[in-house]
Amino acid sequence: MEDTAQMKNRPAAPDLLERLARIVGDKHLVTGGDKLRPYTEELRGRYHSECRAVALPAHSAQVAAVVECCAAAGVSIVPQGGNTGTMGGAVAHAGQVILNLARMNRVLEVDPVNYAMRVEAGCILANVQAAAAAHGRFFPLSLGAQGSCQIGGNLATNAGGINVLRYGNTRDLVLGLEAVLADGRIWDGLNSLRKNNTGYDLKNLLVGSEGTLGIITAATLKLFPAPLCRVVALAGLADAAAALALLGRLRDASSDRLSTFELMSDIAVQSAVKHIAGQTDPLRGRHRWYALIVADSTNQEGGDGGQSALRGEMEAGLARAMDDGVLQDAVIADSESQARRLVLLRENIVEAQQFEGGSIKHDVSVPVASVPEFIRRTHAAIKKAMPHARPYPYGHMGDGNIHFNISQPPDMDRQAFLDQWRPMNRLVHEIAHQLGGSFSAEHGVGITKLEEMKRYKDPVSLALYRRIKRALDPGDVLNPGKLNP
Ligand code: MLT
Ligand code: ZN
């Protein structure tokens, strides 16, 4: 079988671009100039793509035709959504065609009775949420890039975000899929069944496969009742062990109605306050750790849609935790705008980190109960390896998913610091591994974590992955060189 390097160097059929233009239309085949940039420049500037062309099909049949055409020419395809991924999963090389799903952005149906909606893969996540809300339903996937990421990319990477604690990952939010396979066939698994025990779960094989097994073109998504009330709080804590204790207490106090429990280190919060216009720290003093907590409910008890009842439960839980010395301070938002500001604090710490110079990023998970030990050990190991490095941890504590990022020492050369990316990754991933964790919790593998796949993924899984890939894509047409080392 021809490998990726051979494919890259092989001249494609000379009329490939003409044929692709006939399929998607001249206007929707981008072959050069500035128009390529949204597809070839990656958000954080870590990767730059080259490609033969970017094809923007309008529907599944066009996707299938593009795949067939490229496969026949021996040209591989990089499926791409909003190009917001951070692991290089949508990065292409000069020989490849990028297939971007942006034009396939229709909400096909919202079915509030069945608590389901059908969407094309190129729908922007925020538009999916809004379409559900317009029908009194809730689509809970929520993450920083939701204004530009596409649901197809969320599915292909099994994205996480801030509501996983209550509603699960993207994988848990999908009922059915449609995908174009490497031979150009369209697989129609677009049902909306809650129960369907008829064989292998192809849907779950494709979710998280990062475009290597098929191109997801549409999905039936699971919807939930729209929350009627929401309580948002910020707590100041002495350490991660206290955060873990608070998480358990508030799950109990709120009858398990927490949707979000995000942990933020002091440096991350102070950085957002310093660098992001209008951002303030609503707590009185400084704390080593902060937790953003959201509880929501559809329970309508009381005359205000359940707001006072839920708030009462959260206040009581926080007060008890304060009396018992679990937390140092807390504030509950009094209005929707205050709530929004608290949530923004969490969102802003991601952007704020770029003002602190170079940053080495991590996306690990450990069992929730092991988060304090993971943080303690990782902090110590980083300080030992690079005493002036500034750990900048934050993350989805409720899911055991910590972004244990590191900001450069202020007086160090940025590039010299970034050159330590791999050794620092190794150090952090090793500790996560020792605690039974994962080196990739919600961002995927792409090309960034291929080495880690080789090192940490068990050989039986890797062998099965290779077989599955060979069975579904023997010509290595779909996103070669990604995910599978
Ligand atoms: C987050 O939790 O804010 C993101 O996953 C962090 C990131 O994009 O690096
Ligand atoms: Zn995250």
Side-chain angles (χ1 to χ4, degrees):
M1 192 170 60
E2 196 173 33
D3 68 17
T4 313
Q6 286 167 309
M7 278 177 102
K8 182 174 169 177
N9 294 327
R10 200 173 75 173
D15 61 346
L16 175 69
L17 296 186
E18 278 162 40
R19 283 156 62 187
L20 291 177
R22 273 201 298 276
I23 295 167
V24 298
D26 278 337
K27 248 177 45 199
H28 305 298
L29 189 76
V30 186
T31 53
D34 273 357
K35 283 194 179 150
L36 277 178
R37 291 171 72 84
Y39 313 102
T40 55
E41 300 310 318
E42 177 251 11
L43 202 64
R44 293 185 173 156
R46 252 196 112 196
Y47 300 106
H48 165 79
S49 290
E50 304 285 338
C51 62
R52 283 182 208 273
V54 178
L56 293 135
H59 47 72
S60 312
Q62 287 190 359
V63 175
V66 168
V67 170
E68 258 185 87
C69 186
C70 288
V75 168
S76 58
I77 293 172
V78 176
Q80 191 181 72
N83 197 19
T84 58
T86 56
M87 295 293 111
V91 168
H93 63 61
Q96 296 182 303
V97 167
I98 294 176
L99 188 153
N100 189 292
L101 290 119
R103 286 177 71 213
M104 295 174 56
N105 59 4
R106 287 177 308 156
V107 172
L108 301 169
E109 182 191 14
V110 182
D111 181 353
V113 178
N114 205 25
Y115 284 82
M117 71 193 287
R118 252 182 331 119
V119 297
E120 289 185 318
C123 277
I124 302 290
L125 174 55
N127 296 343
V128 174
Q129 296 164 343
H135 288 78
R137 295 292 177 257
F138 180 54
F139 183 63
L141 182 65
S142 175
L143 39 91
Q146 62 197 24
S148 49
C149 64
Q150 297 174 11
I151 188 68
N154 301 144
L155 287 156
T157 55
N158 187 28
I162 64 167
N163 286 334
V164 173
L165 170 63
R166 171 91 154 268
Y167 297 97
N169 292 295
T170 308
R171 185 184 295 291
D172 304 302
L173 303 174
V174 55
L175 296 169
L177 285 184
E178 178 194 79
V180 170
L181 305 178
D183 58 7
R185 274 181 302 169
I186 299 175
W187 172 62
D188 181 0
L190 210 50
N191 66 73
S192 60
L193 300 173
R194 308 267 156 174
K195 288 187 166 180
N196 180 12
N197 276 353
T198 52
Y200 299 134
D201 190 344
L202 299 178
K203 167 192 78 186
N204 265 317
L205 191 58
L206 285 164
V207 174
S209 68
E210 301 189 21
T212 61
L213 301 181
I215 302 175
I216 294 170
T217 45
T220 312
L221 304 171
K222 225 187 247 184
L223 299 180
F224 294 81
L228 296 172
C229 56
R230 179 165 94 126
V231 174
V232 179
L234 183 74
L237 300 142
D239 52 33
L244 180 65
L246 184 64
L247 169 63
R249 280 166 169 258
L250 293 181
R251 286 188 76 165
D252 288 347
S254 67
S255 312
D256 210 11
R257 288 185 284 184
L258 292 194
S259 51
T260 296
F261 193 102
E262 298 284 309
L263 187 66
M264 301 175 279
S265 55
D266 182 38
I267 180 178
V269 168
Q270 298 317 322
S271 177
V273 170
K274 181 168 160 201
H275 298 297
I276 307 293
Q279 184 63 65
T280 51
D281 174 357
L283 296 183
R284 283 181 297 270
R286 290 271 293 269
H287 304 273
R288 290 183 63 194
W289 293 93
Y290 297 77
L292 172 79
I293 305 145
V294 182
D296 55 46
S297 173
T298 55
N299 190 340
Q300 300 201 39
E301 61 191 293
D304 59 355
Q307 186 69 27
S308 321
L310 184 61
R311 187 181 171 113
E313 286 173 13
M314 290 292 285
E315 273 174 355
L318 287 166
R320 274 196 301 275
M322 184 92 90
D323 290 346
D324 295 345
V326 171
L327 67 91
Q328 297 176 323
D329 195 6
V331 61
I332 296 184
D334 280 327
S335 63
E336 195 38 49
S337 69
Q338 278 184 15
R340 184 72 207 127
R341 277 208 292 281
L342 292 185
V343 174
L344 263 181
L345 173 62
R346 163 63 180 88
E347 287 176 10
N348 283 337
I349 63 181
V350 184
E351 191 190 334
Q353 197 186 5
Q354 74 192 14
F355 298 101
E356 302 288 345
S359 68
I360 296 176
K361 299 193 189 293
H362 296 97
D363 168 40
V364 306
S365 63
V366 293
V368 177
S370 302
V371 168
E373 183 178 353
F374 168 73
I375 286 179
R376 199 168 10 86
R377 282 173 59 180
T378 305
H379 194 278
I382 288 169
K383 282 299 193 187
K384 187 166 173 216
M386 198 188 281
H388 298 293
R390 292 170 300 151
Y392 191 107
Y394 61 89
H396 318 285
M397 169 108 195
D399 321 321
N401 173 194
I402 301 298
H403 300 300
F404 206 112
N405 294 351
I406 312 168
S407 281
Q408 69 169 82
D411 52 1
M412 188 172 180
D413 174 67
R414 180 189 176 95
Q415 193 51 50
F417 173 71
L418 292 177
D419 289 346
Q420 297 306 306
W421 192 291
R422 292 268 166 217
M424 284 298 178
N425 277 186
R426 178 55 41 80
L427 195 148
V428 175
H429 295 162
E430 203 64 40
I431 296 169
H433 183 68
Q434 285 161 12
L435 292 171
S438 165
F439 57 85
S440 175
E442 59 167 5
H443 292 173
V445 175
I447 48 178
T448 309
K449 291 187 174 167
L450 289 172
E451 274 301 313
E452 318 299 289
M453 281 292 269
K454 246 195 269 180
R455 186 177 178 91
Y456 296 113
K457 202 81 197 176
D458 71 283
V460 177
S461 294
L462 287 178
L464 287 174
Y465 289 1
R466 275 193 292 275
R467 272 200 183 169
I468 292 168
K469 172 71 174 164
R470 234 177 277 137
L472 291 188
D473 183 14
D476 224 6
V477 174
L478 298 179
N479 223 6
K482 313 286 169 51
L483 192 145
N484 288 304

